[in-house]
Every structure is written in structure tokens, then in C-alpha cells.
Coordinates of all heavy atoms in Angstrom, one line a residue:
M25 N -28.1 -96.0 -65.6 CA -28.0 -97.4 -65.9 C -28.9 -98.2 -65.0 O -28.9 -98.0 -63.8 CB -26.6 -97.9 -65.7 CG -25.5 -97.2 -66.4 SD -25.3 -97.9 -68.1 CE -23.5 -97.6 -68.3
A26 N -29.6 -99.1 -65.6 CA -30.2 -100.2 -64.7 C -29.1 -101.2 -64.5 O -28.0 -101.2 -65.1 CB -31.4 -100.8 -65.4
L27 N -29.4 -102.1 -63.6 CA -28.4 -103.2 -63.3 C -28.9 -104.5 -63.9 O -30.1 -104.6 -64.2 CB -28.2 -103.4 -61.8 CG -27.7 -102.1 -61.0 CD1 -27.3 -102.5 -59.6 CD2 -26.5 -101.5 -61.7
L28 N -28.1 -105.5 -64.0 CA -28.5 -106.8 -64.5 C -27.8 -107.9 -63.7 O -26.7 -107.6 -63.1 CB -28.3 -107.0 -66.0 CG -26.8 -107.0 -66.5 CD1 -26.1 -108.2 -66.3 CD2 -26.9 -106.7 -68.0
I29 N -28.4 -109.0 -63.7 CA -27.9 -110.2 -62.9 C -27.3 -111.2 -63.9 O -28.0 -111.5 -64.9 CB -29.0 -110.8 -62.1 CG1 -29.4 -109.8 -61.0 CG2 -28.5 -112.2 -61.4 CD1 -30.7 -110.3 -60.2
T30 N -26.1 -111.6 -63.7 CA -25.5 -112.6 -64.7 C -25.8 -114.0 -64.3 O -26.4 -114.3 -63.2 CB -23.9 -112.4 -64.7 OG1 -23.4 -113.0 -63.5 CG2 -23.5 -110.9 -64.8
D31 N -25.4 -114.9 -65.2 CA -25.7 -116.3 -64.9 C -24.8 -116.9 -63.8 O -24.9 -118.1 -63.5 CB -25.6 -117.2 -66.2 CG -24.2 -117.1 -66.8 OD1 -23.2 -116.6 -66.1 OD2 -24.0 -117.7 -67.9
E32 N -24.0 -116.1 -63.1 CA -23.3 -116.6 -62.0 C -24.2 -116.6 -60.7 O -23.8 -117.0 -59.6 CB -22.1 -115.8 -61.7 CG -21.0 -116.1 -62.8 CD -19.8 -115.2 -62.7 OE1 -19.4 -114.8 -61.5 OE2 -19.2 -114.8 -63.7
C33 N -25.4 -116.1 -60.9 CA -26.4 -116.0 -59.7 C -26.6 -117.4 -59.2 O -26.8 -118.4 -60.0 CB -27.7 -115.4 -60.3 SG -29.1 -115.5 -59.1
I34 N -26.6 -117.5 -57.9 CA -26.8 -118.9 -57.2 C -28.2 -119.0 -56.6 O -28.5 -119.9 -55.8 CB -25.7 -119.1 -56.1 CG1 -25.7 -118.0 -55.1 CG2 -24.3 -119.2 -56.8 CD1 -24.9 -118.2 -53.8
N35 N -29.1 -118.1 -57.0 CA -30.5 -118.1 -56.6 C -30.6 -118.2 -55.1 O -31.4 -119.0 -54.5 CB -31.2 -119.3 -57.2 CG -31.3 -119.2 -58.8 OD1 -31.3 -118.1 -59.3 ND2 -31.4 -120.3 -59.5
C36 N -29.8 -117.3 -54.4 CA -29.8 -117.4 -53.0 C -31.0 -116.6 -52.3 O -31.2 -116.7 -51.1 CB -28.5 -116.8 -52.4 SG -28.4 -115.0 -52.6
D37 N -31.8 -115.9 -53.2 CA -33.0 -115.2 -52.7 C -32.7 -114.0 -51.9 O -33.7 -113.4 -51.3 CB -33.9 -116.1 -51.9 CG -34.3 -117.4 -52.6 OD1 -34.3 -117.4 -53.9 OD2 -34.5 -118.4 -51.9
V38 N -31.5 -113.6 -51.7 CA -31.2 -112.5 -50.7 C -31.5 -111.1 -51.3 O -32.0 -110.2 -50.6 CB -29.7 -112.5 -50.3 CG1 -29.3 -111.3 -49.6 CG2 -29.4 -113.7 -49.5
C39 N -31.3 -110.9 -52.6 CA -31.5 -109.6 -53.2 C -33.0 -109.2 -53.3 O -33.3 -108.0 -53.2 CB -30.8 -109.5 -54.5 SG -31.4 -110.7 -55.7
E40 N -33.8 -110.1 -53.7 CA -35.2 -109.8 -54.1 C -35.9 -108.9 -53.0 O -36.5 -107.9 -53.4 CB -36.0 -111.1 -54.3 CG -37.4 -110.8 -54.8 CD -38.2 -112.0 -54.9 OE1 -37.9 -113.1 -54.4 OE2 -39.3 -112.0 -55.6
P41 N -35.9 -109.3 -51.7 CA -36.7 -108.5 -50.8 C -36.0 -107.2 -50.5 O -36.6 -106.3 -49.9 CB -36.7 -109.4 -49.5 CG -35.6 -110.3 -49.7 CD -35.4 -110.6 -51.1
E42 N -34.7 -107.0 -50.9 CA -34.0 -105.7 -50.6 C -34.4 -104.6 -51.6 O -34.1 -103.5 -51.4 CB -32.5 -105.9 -50.6 CG -32.0 -106.9 -49.5 CD -32.4 -106.4 -48.1 OE1 -32.4 -105.2 -47.9 OE2 -32.7 -107.3 -47.3
C43 N -35.0 -105.0 -52.7 CA -35.2 -104.0 -53.8 C -36.4 -103.1 -53.5 O -37.5 -103.6 -53.3 CB -35.4 -104.7 -55.1 SG -35.7 -103.5 -56.5
P44 N -36.2 -101.8 -53.4 CA -37.3 -100.9 -53.0 C -38.3 -100.7 -54.2 O -39.4 -100.2 -54.0 CB -36.6 -99.6 -52.7 CG -35.3 -99.7 -53.5 CD -34.9 -101.1 -53.5
N45 N -37.9 -101.2 -55.4 CA -38.8 -100.9 -56.5 C -39.4 -102.2 -57.0 O -40.0 -102.2 -58.1 CB -37.9 -100.3 -57.7 CG -37.5 -98.9 -57.3 OD1 -38.2 -98.2 -56.7 ND2 -36.3 -98.6 -57.7
D46 N -39.3 -103.3 -56.3 CA -39.8 -104.6 -56.8 C -39.4 -104.9 -58.2 O -40.1 -105.4 -59.0 CB -41.4 -104.6 -56.7 CG -41.9 -104.6 -55.3 OD1 -41.2 -105.1 -54.4 OD2 -43.0 -104.0 -55.1
A47 N -38.1 -104.6 -58.5 CA -37.5 -104.9 -59.8 C -37.0 -106.3 -60.0 O -36.7 -106.7 -61.1 CB -36.5 -103.8 -60.1
I48 N -36.8 -107.0 -58.9 CA -36.1 -108.3 -59.0 C -37.1 -109.4 -58.9 O -38.0 -109.4 -58.0 CB -35.0 -108.4 -57.9 CG1 -34.0 -107.2 -58.0 CG2 -34.3 -109.8 -58.0 CD1 -33.0 -107.2 -56.8
S49 N -37.0 -110.4 -59.8 CA -37.9 -111.6 -59.7 C -37.1 -112.8 -60.2 O -36.1 -112.6 -61.0 CB -39.2 -111.3 -60.5 OG -38.9 -111.1 -61.8
M50 N -37.7 -113.9 -59.9 CA -37.0 -115.2 -60.4 C -37.3 -115.3 -61.9 O -38.5 -115.2 -62.3 CB -37.6 -116.4 -59.7 CG -36.9 -117.7 -59.9 SD -35.2 -117.6 -59.4 CE -34.6 -119.1 -60.3
G51 N -36.3 -115.6 -62.7 CA -36.4 -115.8 -64.1 C -36.5 -117.2 -64.4 O -36.8 -118.1 -63.6
A52 N -36.2 -117.6 -65.7 CA -36.3 -119.0 -66.1 C -35.3 -119.8 -65.4 O -35.6 -121.0 -65.0 CB -36.1 -119.1 -67.6
E53 N -34.1 -119.3 -65.2 CA -33.0 -120.1 -64.5 C -32.4 -119.4 -63.3 O -31.9 -120.0 -62.4 CB -31.9 -120.4 -65.5 CG -32.4 -121.3 -66.6 CD -31.3 -121.6 -67.7 OE1 -30.1 -121.7 -67.2 OE2 -31.6 -121.7 -68.8
Y54 N -32.4 -118.1 -63.3 CA -31.9 -117.3 -62.2 C -32.6 -116.0 -62.1 O -33.4 -115.7 -62.9 CB -30.4 -117.2 -62.3 CG -29.9 -116.7 -63.6 CD1 -29.7 -115.3 -63.8 CD2 -29.6 -117.5 -64.7 CE1 -29.3 -114.8 -65.0 CE2 -29.1 -117.0 -65.9 CZ -29.0 -115.7 -66.1 OH -28.6 -115.2 -67.3
Y55 N -32.3 -115.2 -61.0 CA -33.0 -114.0 -60.8 C -32.7 -113.0 -61.9 O -31.6 -113.0 -62.5 CB -32.6 -113.4 -59.5 CG -33.4 -114.0 -58.3 CD1 -33.0 -115.2 -57.7 CD2 -34.6 -113.4 -58.0 CE1 -33.8 -115.7 -56.7 CE2 -35.4 -114.0 -57.0 CZ -35.0 -115.1 -56.3 OH -35.8 -115.7 -55.4
E56 N -33.7 -112.1 -62.2 CA -33.6 -111.1 -63.2 C -34.0 -109.7 -62.6 O -34.8 -109.7 -61.7 CB -34.6 -111.4 -64.3 CG -34.3 -112.7 -65.1 CD -35.3 -113.0 -66.2 OE1 -36.4 -112.4 -66.1 OE2 -35.0 -113.9 -67.0
I57 N -33.5 -108.7 -63.2 CA -33.9 -107.3 -62.9 C -34.7 -106.7 -64.0 O -34.2 -106.7 -65.2 CB -32.6 -106.5 -62.6 CG1 -31.9 -107.0 -61.3 CG2 -33.0 -105.0 -62.4 CD1 -30.6 -106.3 -61.0
A58 N -35.9 -106.2 -63.8 CA -36.6 -105.5 -64.8 C -36.1 -104.1 -64.9 O -36.2 -103.3 -64.0 CB -38.1 -105.5 -64.4
A59 N -35.4 -103.9 -66.1 CA -34.7 -102.6 -66.3 C -35.7 -101.4 -66.1 O -35.3 -100.4 -65.6 CB -34.1 -102.6 -67.6
S60 N -36.9 -101.6 -66.5 CA -37.9 -100.5 -66.4 C -38.2 -100.1 -64.9 O -38.7 -99.0 -64.7 CB -39.2 -100.9 -67.1 OG -39.8 -102.0 -66.4
R61 N -37.9 -101.0 -64.0 CA -38.1 -100.7 -62.6 C -36.9 -100.4 -61.8 O -37.0 -100.0 -60.6 CB -38.9 -101.8 -61.9 CG -40.3 -102.1 -62.5 CD -41.1 -103.0 -61.7 NE -41.4 -102.4 -60.4 CZ -42.5 -101.7 -60.2 NH1 -43.3 -101.4 -61.2 NH2 -42.7 -101.2 -59.0
C62 N -35.7 -100.6 -62.3 CA -34.4 -100.4 -61.6 C -34.0 -99.0 -61.7 O -33.7 -98.5 -62.8 CB -33.4 -101.4 -62.1 SG -31.8 -101.1 -61.2
T63 N -33.8 -98.3 -60.5 CA -33.3 -96.9 -60.5 C -31.9 -96.9 -60.0 O -31.4 -95.8 -59.6 CB -34.2 -96.0 -59.6 OG1 -34.1 -96.5 -58.3 CG2 -35.6 -96.0 -60.1
E64 N -31.2 -98.1 -59.9 CA -29.9 -98.2 -59.1 C -30.2 -97.7 -57.7 O -29.2 -97.2 -57.0 CB -28.8 -97.3 -59.8 CG -28.2 -98.0 -61.0 CD -27.0 -97.3 -61.5 OE1 -26.0 -97.2 -60.6 OE2 -26.9 -96.9 -62.6
C65 N -31.4 -97.8 -57.2 CA -31.8 -97.4 -55.9 C -31.8 -95.9 -55.7 O -32.0 -95.4 -54.6 CB -31.0 -98.1 -54.8 SG -31.4 -99.8 -54.6
V66 N -31.6 -95.1 -56.8 CA -31.7 -93.7 -56.7 C -33.1 -93.3 -56.1 O -34.1 -93.8 -56.6 CB -31.4 -93.0 -58.1 CG1 -31.8 -91.5 -58.1 CG2 -30.0 -93.1 -58.4
G67 N -33.1 -92.4 -55.2 CA -34.4 -92.0 -54.6 C -34.6 -92.7 -53.3 O -35.4 -92.2 -52.4
H68 N -34.0 -93.9 -53.1 CA -34.3 -94.7 -51.9 C -33.0 -94.8 -51.1 O -33.1 -94.7 -49.8 CB -34.7 -96.1 -52.3 CG -36.1 -96.2 -52.9 ND1 -37.3 -96.0 -52.1 CD2 -36.5 -96.3 -54.2 CE1 -38.3 -96.1 -52.9 NE2 -37.9 -96.3 -54.2
H69 N -31.9 -95.2 -51.7 CA -30.7 -95.5 -50.9 C -29.5 -94.9 -51.7 O -29.5 -94.6 -52.9 CB -30.5 -97.0 -50.8 CG -31.6 -97.7 -50.2 ND1 -31.8 -97.6 -48.8 CD2 -32.6 -98.5 -50.7 CE1 -32.9 -98.4 -48.5 NE2 -33.4 -98.9 -49.6
D70 N -28.4 -94.7 -50.9 CA -27.1 -94.2 -51.5 C -26.5 -95.2 -52.4 O -25.7 -94.8 -53.3 CB -26.1 -93.8 -50.4 CG -26.6 -92.6 -49.7 OD1 -27.5 -91.8 -50.2 OD2 -26.2 -92.4 -48.5
E71 N -26.7 -96.5 -52.2 CA -26.0 -97.5 -53.0 C -27.1 -98.5 -53.5 O -28.1 -98.8 -52.8 CB -25.0 -98.3 -52.1 CG -23.8 -97.6 -51.7 CD -22.9 -98.5 -50.9 OE1 -22.1 -99.2 -51.5 OE2 -23.0 -98.5 -49.6
P72 N -26.8 -99.2 -54.6 CA -27.7 -100.3 -55.1 C -27.7 -101.4 -54.1 O -26.7 -102.1 -53.8 CB -27.1 -100.7 -56.4 CG -26.2 -99.6 -56.8 CD -25.7 -98.9 -55.6
Q73 N -28.9 -101.6 -53.4 CA -29.0 -102.5 -52.3 C -28.8 -104.0 -52.7 O -28.2 -104.8 -52.0 CB -30.4 -102.4 -51.6 CG -30.6 -101.0 -51.0 CD -29.5 -100.7 -49.9 OE1 -29.5 -101.3 -48.9 NE2 -28.6 -99.8 -50.2
C74 N -29.2 -104.3 -54.0 CA -29.0 -105.7 -54.4 C -27.5 -106.0 -54.5 O -27.0 -107.1 -54.2 CB -29.7 -106.0 -55.7 SG -29.3 -104.8 -57.1
K75 N -26.7 -105.0 -55.0 CA -25.3 -105.2 -55.2 C -24.6 -105.4 -53.8 O -23.7 -106.2 -53.6 CB -24.6 -104.0 -55.9 CG -24.5 -104.2 -57.4 CD -23.8 -103.0 -58.0 CE -22.3 -103.2 -57.9 NZ -21.7 -103.3 -59.3
V76 N -25.1 -104.6 -52.8 CA -24.5 -104.6 -51.5 C -24.7 -106.0 -50.9 O -23.8 -106.5 -50.2 CB -25.2 -103.6 -50.6 CG1 -24.9 -103.7 -49.1 CG2 -24.8 -102.2 -51.1
V77 N -25.9 -106.6 -51.1 CA -26.1 -107.9 -50.4 C -25.7 -109.2 -51.2 O -25.6 -110.2 -50.6 CB -27.6 -108.1 -50.0 CG1 -28.0 -106.9 -49.0 CG2 -28.5 -108.1 -51.2
C78 N -25.5 -109.0 -52.5 CA -25.2 -110.2 -53.3 C -23.9 -110.9 -52.9 O -22.8 -110.3 -52.9 CB -25.2 -109.9 -54.8 SG -24.8 -111.3 -55.8
P79 N -23.9 -112.2 -52.4 CA -22.7 -112.8 -51.9 C -21.7 -113.2 -53.0 O -20.6 -113.5 -52.7 CB -23.2 -114.0 -51.2 CG -24.5 -114.4 -51.9 CD -25.1 -113.0 -52.3
V80 N -22.2 -113.2 -54.3 CA -21.3 -113.7 -55.3 C -20.9 -112.6 -56.4 O -20.3 -112.8 -57.4 CB -21.8 -114.9 -56.1 CG1 -21.9 -116.1 -55.1 CG2 -23.2 -114.7 -56.7
E81 N -21.4 -111.4 -56.1 CA -21.1 -110.2 -56.9 C -21.4 -110.4 -58.4 O -20.6 -110.2 -59.2 CB -19.6 -109.8 -56.7 CG -19.3 -109.4 -55.3 CD -17.9 -108.9 -55.1 OE1 -17.2 -108.6 -56.0 OE2 -17.6 -108.7 -53.9
C82 N -22.6 -110.9 -58.6 CA -23.0 -111.2 -60.0 C -24.0 -110.1 -60.5 O -24.6 -110.4 -61.5 CB -23.6 -112.6 -60.1 SG -25.2 -112.7 -59.2
I83 N -24.0 -109.0 -59.9 CA -24.9 -107.9 -60.3 C -24.1 -106.8 -60.9 O -23.2 -106.2 -60.2 CB -25.8 -107.4 -59.2 CG1 -26.6 -108.6 -58.6 CG2 -26.8 -106.3 -59.7 CD1 -27.5 -108.2 -57.4
L84 N -24.3 -106.5 -62.2 CA -23.5 -105.5 -62.9 C -24.3 -104.5 -63.5 O -25.6 -104.6 -63.6 CB -22.7 -106.3 -64.0 CG -21.9 -107.5 -63.6 CD1 -21.3 -108.2 -64.9 CD2 -20.8 -107.2 -62.6
V85 N -23.7 -103.4 -64.0 CA -24.5 -102.4 -64.8 C -24.9 -103.0 -66.1 O -24.2 -103.8 -66.7 CB -23.8 -101.1 -65.0 CG1 -23.6 -100.4 -63.6 CG2 -22.5 -101.3 -65.7
N86 N -26.1 -102.7 -66.5 CA -26.6 -103.1 -67.8 C -26.2 -102.2 -68.9 O -26.7 -101.0 -69.0 CB -28.2 -103.2 -67.7 CG -28.8 -103.8 -68.9 OD1 -28.2 -103.8 -70.0 ND2 -30.0 -104.3 -68.8
P87 N -25.3 -102.6 -69.8 CA -24.8 -101.6 -70.8 C -25.8 -101.2 -71.8 O -25.6 -100.3 -72.5 CB -23.6 -102.4 -71.4 CG -24.0 -103.8 -71.2 CD -24.7 -103.9 -69.9
D88 N -26.9 -102.0 -71.9 CA -27.9 -101.6 -72.8 C -29.0 -100.6 -72.3 O -29.8 -100.2 -73.1 CB -28.7 -102.9 -73.2 CG -27.8 -103.9 -74.0 OD1 -26.9 -103.4 -74.7 OD2 -28.0 -105.1 -73.8
V89 N -28.9 -100.3 -71.0 CA -29.8 -99.4 -70.5 C -29.1 -98.2 -69.8 O -28.8 -98.2 -68.6 CB -30.8 -100.1 -69.4 CG1 -31.9 -99.1 -69.0 CG2 -31.4 -101.3 -70.0
V90 N -28.7 -97.3 -70.6 CA -27.9 -96.1 -70.2 C -28.8 -95.0 -69.7 O -29.6 -94.5 -70.5 CB -26.9 -95.7 -71.3 CG1 -26.1 -94.5 -70.8 CG2 -26.0 -96.8 -71.8
E91 N -28.6 -94.6 -68.5 CA -29.4 -93.5 -67.9 C -28.6 -92.6 -67.0 O -27.7 -93.1 -66.3 CB -30.6 -94.1 -67.1 CG -31.6 -94.9 -67.9 CD -32.4 -95.8 -67.0 OE1 -31.8 -96.7 -66.3 OE2 -33.6 -95.8 -67.1
T92 N -28.8 -91.4 -67.1 CA -28.1 -90.5 -66.2 C -28.8 -90.5 -64.8 O -29.9 -91.1 -64.6 CB -28.2 -89.0 -66.6 OG1 -29.6 -88.6 -66.6 CG2 -27.7 -88.8 -68.0
R93 N -28.1 -90.0 -63.8 CA -28.7 -90.0 -62.4 C -30.0 -89.2 -62.4 O -31.0 -89.6 -61.8 CB -27.7 -89.3 -61.5 CG -28.0 -89.6 -60.1 CD -26.9 -89.1 -59.1 NE -27.4 -89.3 -57.8 CZ -27.4 -90.4 -57.1 NH1 -26.8 -91.5 -57.6 NH2 -27.9 -90.5 -55.9
Q94 N -30.1 -88.2 -63.2 CA -31.3 -87.4 -63.3 C -32.5 -88.2 -63.9 O -33.6 -88.2 -63.4 CB -31.1 -86.1 -64.1 CG -32.4 -85.2 -64.1 CD -32.2 -83.9 -64.8 OE1 -31.2 -83.8 -65.6 NE2 -33.1 -83.0 -64.7
E95 N -32.1 -89.0 -64.9 CA -33.1 -89.9 -65.5 C -33.6 -91.0 -64.6 O -34.8 -91.3 -64.5 CB -32.6 -90.5 -66.8 CG -32.5 -89.5 -68.0 CD -31.7 -90.0 -69.2 OE1 -30.8 -90.8 -69.0 OE2 -32.1 -89.6 -70.3
L96 N -32.6 -91.5 -63.8 CA -33.0 -92.5 -62.8 C -33.9 -91.9 -61.7 O -34.8 -92.5 -61.3 CB -31.7 -93.0 -62.1 CG -30.9 -93.9 -63.0 CD1 -29.5 -94.2 -62.3 CD2 -31.6 -95.2 -63.3
F97 N -33.7 -90.6 -61.4 CA -34.6 -90.0 -60.4 C -36.0 -89.8 -61.0 O -37.0 -89.9 -60.2 CB -34.0 -88.6 -59.9 CG -34.6 -88.1 -58.7 CD1 -34.3 -88.6 -57.4 CD2 -35.6 -87.1 -58.8 CE1 -35.0 -88.2 -56.3 CE2 -36.2 -86.6 -57.6 CZ -35.9 -87.2 -56.4
I98 N -36.0 -89.4 -62.2 CA -37.4 -89.3 -62.9 C -38.1 -90.6 -62.9 O -39.3 -90.7 -62.6 CB -37.2 -88.7 -64.3 CG1 -36.7 -87.2 -64.2 CG2 -38.5 -88.8 -65.1 CD1 -36.3 -86.6 -65.5
K99 N -37.3 -91.7 -63.1 CA -37.9 -93.0 -63.1 C -38.4 -93.3 -61.7 O -39.5 -93.8 -61.5 CB -36.9 -94.1 -63.5 CG -37.4 -95.5 -63.8 CD -36.3 -96.5 -63.8 CE -35.7 -96.6 -65.2 NZ -34.7 -97.8 -65.2
F100 N -37.6 -93.0 -60.7 CA -38.0 -93.2 -59.3 C -39.3 -92.4 -59.0 O -40.3 -93.0 -58.4 CB -36.9 -92.6 -58.3 CG -37.4 -92.3 -57.0 CD1 -37.7 -93.2 -56.0 CD2 -37.5 -90.9 -56.6 CE1 -38.1 -92.9 -54.7 CE2 -38.0 -90.6 -55.4 CZ -38.3 -91.5 -54.4
E101 N -39.4 -91.2 -59.5 CA -40.7 -90.4 -59.2 C -41.9 -91.1 -59.9 O -43.0 -91.1 -59.4 CB -40.5 -89.0 -59.7 CG -39.5 -88.2 -58.8 CD -39.4 -86.7 -59.2 OE1 -39.4 -86.5 -60.5 OE2 -39.4 -85.9 -58.3
R102 N -41.6 -91.6 -61.1 CA -42.7 -92.2 -61.9 C -43.2 -93.5 -61.1 O -44.4 -93.8 -61.0 CB -42.3 -92.6 -63.3 CG -43.3 -93.4 -64.1 CD -42.8 -93.5 -65.5 NE -41.5 -94.1 -65.7 CZ -41.2 -95.4 -65.6 NH1 -42.2 -96.3 -65.2 NH2 -40.0 -95.9 -65.8
L103 N -42.2 -94.3 -60.6 CA -42.6 -95.5 -59.9 C -43.3 -95.3 -58.6 O -44.0 -96.1 -58.1 CB -41.3 -96.3 -59.7 CG -40.6 -97.0 -60.9 CD1 -39.3 -97.5 -60.6 CD2 -41.5 -98.1 -61.4
T104 N -43.0 -94.2 -57.9 CA -43.5 -93.9 -56.6 C -44.8 -93.0 -56.6 O -45.3 -92.7 -55.6 CB -42.5 -93.3 -55.7 OG1 -41.9 -92.2 -56.3 CG2 -41.4 -94.3 -55.4
R105 N -45.2 -92.6 -57.8 CA -46.3 -91.7 -57.9 C -47.6 -92.3 -57.4 O -48.5 -91.7 -57.0 CB -46.5 -91.2 -59.3 CG -47.1 -89.8 -59.4 CD -47.2 -89.3 -60.9 NE -45.9 -89.0 -61.4 CZ -45.5 -89.3 -62.7 NH1 -46.3 -89.9 -63.5 NH2 -44.3 -89.0 -63.1
G106 N -47.6 -93.6 -57.5 CA -48.7 -94.4 -56.9 C -49.7 -94.8 -58.0 O -50.8 -95.1 -57.9
Ligands
SF4_17 S1 -30.2 -101.4 -57.9 FE1 -31.8 -101.1 -56.4 S2 -33.6 -100.7 -57.7 FE2 -32.1 -101.7 -59.0 S3 -32.6 -103.9 -58.8 FE3 -31.0 -103.4 -57.3 S4 -32.2 -103.1 -55.4 FE4 -33.6 -102.9 -57.1
SF4_18 S1 -28.2 -112.0 -54.2 FE1 -26.9 -112.4 -56.1 S2 -26.7 -114.6 -56.1 FE2 -28.4 -114.1 -54.6 S3 -30.3 -114.3 -55.9 FE3 -29.6 -112.2 -55.9 S4 -28.3 -112.0 -57.8 FE4 -28.5 -114.1 -57.3

């Protein structure tokens, strides 16, 4: 699964620099996660770093982007291949 940010986001800017995949950016009204770049931090960290730091817990799993841990690792390898 990739993660997504809900409209409860308060645009605090804390999560964006924590993402090892540059998946988080400011959207039209609040921050967004590019599902194609989110590995749930697989390959980089034990836990999704954006979820760890978000003060309002508005980052959830994206039910539209279902991926196994192995698929997330393949995505990580593709993103880091350079
Ligand atoms: S879970 Fe990790 S890779 Fe996905 S958006 Fe959050 S910090 Fe980035
Ligand atoms: S840490 Fe949470 S509240 Fe802050 S910008 Fe990111 S998603 Fe929004």
C-alpha cells in the first residue's frame, strides 16, 4: 500500500523533508503523497516516517494502491536505481 494524506492535514511542513523517496509535496490545498513514489518507507526505514512525525495523524493507507511488501521493495529498488 502507498499512503495518503487526508484533508485533516494542517500543512505543518513536518513530513515532507522526512520522506526518503521525495513522495510528499504541497497539493492544491494540503500536502499530497505521490503513490508511485511511496514505498511505506520499505527499504529505508522500519516505519513510515511521515506517519511517525505527523502531529495530527492524518496519514492513512491508500486503499486504491494495494501492494505487498515485496512489491514495495521492488518499487524501492526502481526508485533508487539512479
Ligand atoms: S511512507 Fe515513507 S515513502 Fe511513503 S510518503 Fe511517507 S515517508 Fe514517504
Ligand atoms: S505532517 Fe501531517 S499535518 Fe503536517 S503537513 Fe504532513 S500530513 Fe500535513
